[in-house]
Amino acid sequence: MCGIVGVVGKPAREVVLNGLKNLEYRGYDSAGIYLNDLQGNEYLTKAVGRISNLEEKLTPDEEGLVGIGHTRWATHGKPTVDNAHPHVSEDGRFYLVHNGVIENYAELKEKYLQDVDFKSTTDTEVVVQLVDKIAREKNLDAFSAFKEALKLVRGSYAFLLVDNTQPDHIFIAKNKSPMMLGIGDGFNIIASDAISVLDQTKTFIDLQDGDVADVTKDNVVIETIDGEKVERKPHTLDIDPNAASKGTYEFYMLKEIDEQPAVMRRLSQDYFDGDDVKVDPAIVDAMAQSDRIYILAAGTSYHAGLVGKNIIEEYADIPVEVGLASEFGYHFPKLSKKPFFIFLSQSGETADSRVVLKQVNERNLPSLTMTNVEGSTLSREATYTMLLEAGPEIAVASTKAYTAQIAVQAILAKAVGEKKNLEKAKNFDLKNQFALAAEGMQELVDGKEKIDELAKKYLSTTRNAFYLGRGVDYAVALEGALKLKEVSYIETEGFAAAELKHGTIALIEKGTPVITLINDPATADLTRGNIQEVESRGANVMTFVAKDFAREGDDVVLPQIDYYLSPLVTAIPAQLIAYYASKNKGLDVDKPRNLAKSVTVE
Ligand code: M6R
């Protein structure tokens, strides 16, 4: 969601602006920067819309040796200049940027700040005014006042605070919202995502919930809110900064779609020893002992979980329940006797999933997070982690993380099935299937012009569309529909193919696009029947069909792979058609309106 970058000890303007630009993919609707040159000059600039609008407002002399910047995705209050961060205290002393949500902001305002003239309608401004008030009334230095204020604050936050009476410090605090501290040579840098500042340093300290810190150019003091010193070891992040760049692509989304064969090959290398799957035995043992798996996730990751359910039940022979984290967190079902929890999350930061994991931990139950981001919160807080190894995913629409989640679930299913001595699992030649999937994905991305033509022909003016599928294709239909609607704004619904005639077929009229997926041997013929039903009512049907079931006239013939893994290849045309539908309409494919890459609020 929002992005944060702060730096102390080097000319800050470019560093902060570049960092914010690297976070643009997370989604935002206003931006701001505070600079202090340590000579008594300070500059606060904010703008609605893109960072380029902010840059236009900055005059050439606005520079600083300390800077904090922010991209805001509006939660409390409209996207206006007043509501953009940094927020400043009434007396102009403190400047604050914030990611997260302050749950008790109204209460704090009412109780402590009735005499303050607020400039914004945000929850964040309450905190900067509170710090200021405490500093003045209790005659405390900034760090002490900040910690006192935090004792009163309830909610999620990553805060950067500058006090212009000691401007060579940035005070920071973290609770539930991600924040990394980058260690430089003669400078230090803070960001909500390490990717944004990889050009500055590769040495990072992962701050934990409850940490506060006083950061100067060559020193970092980390404490708890109660003032106890905390030791956090720096580590080196081994990410190629180019992995997060667009290269020659116009949009990240296409780059990330194209990268999927390479991701499959990387997973083949890292999760296999010869032809054998290689998974931490502790994970395999814990899962093999369980009587039911609960997969929790949101959005695209939830859809990957629906595919994973089929794979795990087939090859590990354990019943699986898949839940939307946002629902599960507040309506826990009656659990089985030996549950095992799997959290699927590209970012590892999704607040809805964290709510569930917290309760799982309170009940002392085993959990595994499958995530793309090493050291992310869901990874740290779960018992075990398996990495997706998809490389940074920048486009808001998740693509390569989705297929990686399916692949990693398959690896785990095979490992657990083998541990249980199941013939099916032992005979499942997953390494070969991954090779076929990678080859098939490549063939499909190489044929992308065909998908572009379909998008131009059927999706350029339509208001709505449908996706149909049965079995695992139903799970992919849900994901295909999400992909298409989120980037092209075409209202799209995914259906179990036979369900359409139980109501929704009423919406089919002349020219309604219906994308139909056929990989399921058990129902291929029945789905053909469903195609007839919509075609006879005027629908423009597009068919993505596995080679074994393909007929003349099908639009995309999918390379044949194991039915349970077929979503790995079916996903490619589904992602591509969404991409082209959006691009052909001239939309900003990577940053669809109203969306954020990492949803760190509930
Ligand atoms: O980071 P996560 O995988 O936990 O994110 C969950 C959803 O917000 C995410 O999958 C979202 O639905 C996608 N960006 C949509 O493409």
Side-chain angles (χ1 to χ4, degrees), residues 313-502:
E313 289 187 341
E314 176 69 12
Y315 292 110
D317 197 26
I318 306 175
V320 179
E321 206 166 301
V322 190
L324 288 167
S326 55
E327 287 296 312
F328 205 99
Y330 293 91
H331 307 283
F332 250 64
K334 185 168 163 42
L335 298 179
S336 67
K337 288 204 172 64
K338 287 186 144 198
F340 183 86
F341 286 81
I342 299 180
F343 291 86
L344 296 181
S345 177
Q346 189 286 130
S347 63
E349 300 295 346
T350 298
D352 292 326
S353 297
R354 291 195 61 196
V355 170
V356 184
L357 179 54
K358 190 161 172 269
Q359 295 175 67
V360 167
N361 286 340
E362 280 163 9
R363 294 171 191 220
N364 271 323
L365 296 171
S367 58
L368 160 69
T369 290
M370 290 185 179
T371 181
N372 205 22
V373 184
E374 199 175 350
S376 57
T377 311
L378 283 165
S379 157
R380 284 201 313 269
E381 292 178 354
T383 327
Y384 310 106
T385 295
M386 287 175 82
L387 292 175
L388 301 178
E389 307 202 354
E393 191 182 69
I394 308 291
V396 164
S398 187
T399 52
K400 59 179 178 170
Y402 169 75
T403 44
Q405 283 168 338
I406 293 169
V408 175
Q409 289 177 96
I411 290 165
L412 183 59
K414 177 166 166 69
V416 172
E418 284 179 347
K419 171 85 191 173
K420 292 172 70 183
N421 218 8
L422 302 176
E423 283 309 311
K424 245 187 201 167
K426 288 195 280 185
N427 296 334
F428 184 28
D429 187 355
L430 190 57
K431 180 103 184 257
N432 183 45
Q433 286 297 326
F434 276 17
L436 290 176
E439 219 174 279
M441 286 169 157
Q442 193 61 56
E443 194 182 313
L444 291 161
V445 297
D446 289 347
K448 51 172 76 86
E449 287 76 20
K450 170 85 206 266
I451 312 282
D452 187 11
E453 281 164 26
L454 288 175
K456 286 199 175 98
K457 189 166 168 193
Y458 296 122
L459 299 174
S460 49
T461 56
T462 187
R463 192 177 46 81
N464 63 351
F466 291 92
Y467 256 96
L468 305 185
R470 293 170 179 241
V472 291
D473 288 331
Y474 170 40
V476 184
L478 294 176
E479 173 56 12
L482 174 60
K483 216 82 303 165
L484 185 55
K485 75 182 115 179
E486 71 177 323
V487 296
S488 75
Y489 314 147
I490 295 169
E491 211 176 314
T492 314
E493 282 189 76
F495 272 95
E499 274 300 296
L500 203 68
K501 64 180 176 299
H502 295 290

Side-chain angles (χ1 to χ4, degrees), residues 152-163:
L152 303 173
V153 168
R154 222 174 43 237
S156 55
Y157 50 76
F159 285 125
L160 306 190
L161 175 79
V162 176
D163 169 8

Side-chain angles (χ1 to χ4, degrees), residues 73-264:
W73 188 82
T75 53
H76 293 70
K78 292 189 172 141
T80 61
V81 169
D82 283 342
N83 285 340
H85 303 207
H87 288 287
V88 54
S89 60
E90 212 176 12
D91 59 1
R93 174 176 165 188
F94 291 101
Y95 292 81
L96 182 80
V97 294
H98 165 222
N99 281 1
V101 172
I102 307 304
E103 287 160 17
N104 60 338
Y105 78 102
E107 191 183 312
L108 293 171
K109 202 168 168 178
E110 172 75 20
K111 196 160 170 191
Y112 302 103
L113 302 166
Q114 286 208 5
D115 51 341
V116 174
D117 177 19
F118 279 85
K119 294 282 173 298
S120 76
T121 53
T122 63
D123 50 340
T124 306
E125 192 187 348
V126 170
V127 179
V128 76
Q129 306 291 9
L130 189 63
V131 173
D132 186 40
K133 179 150 185 148
I134 292 174
R136 270 187 288 113
E137 289 185 353
K138 297 195 174 177
N139 198 20
L140 292 176
D141 61 69
F143 197 32
S144 306
F146 189 34
K147 285 182 279 186
E148 284 303 301
L150 290 172
K151 288 179 188 161
L152 303 173
V153 168
R154 222 174 43 237
S156 55
Y157 50 76
F159 285 125
L160 306 190
L161 175 79
V162 176
D163 169 8
N164 67 8
T165 67
Q166 44 175 158
D168 53 340
H169 295 246
I170 300 181
F171 304 101
I172 66 181
K174 174 192 175 337
N175 187 45
K176 296 188 195 161
S177 296
M179 182 156 65
M180 309 278 280
L181 177 53
I183 308 299
D185 186 8
F187 70 94
N188 285 312
I189 192 159
I190 309 111
S192 46
D193 187 337
I195 280 181
S196 62
V197 293
L198 274 181
D199 56 336
Q200 298 296 322
T201 182
K202 285 194 163 190
T203 307
F204 288 92
I205 292 175
D206 295 343
L207 294 164
Q208 312 285 314
D209 286 352
D211 286 355
V212 293
D214 175 355
V215 184
T216 52
K217 74 183 176 56
D218 33 37
N219 198 27
V220 171
V221 177
I222 308 177
E223 296 181 2
T224 65
I225 290 176
D226 294 320
E228 279 169 37
K229 294 274 177 298
V230 176
E231 276 293 315
R232 302 264 176 245
K233 286 213 171 68
H235 61 91
T236 306
L237 252 197
D238 191 18
I239 300 178
D240 174 3
N242 294 327
S245 92
K246 253 194 305 209
T248 53
Y249 283 85
E250 190 180 352
F251 292 105
Y252 280 107
M253 185 176 173
L254 188 61
K255 174 176 181 264
E256 289 162 4
I257 293 172
D258 280 2
E259 281 170 353
Q260 290 173 101
V263 175
M264 290 305 303

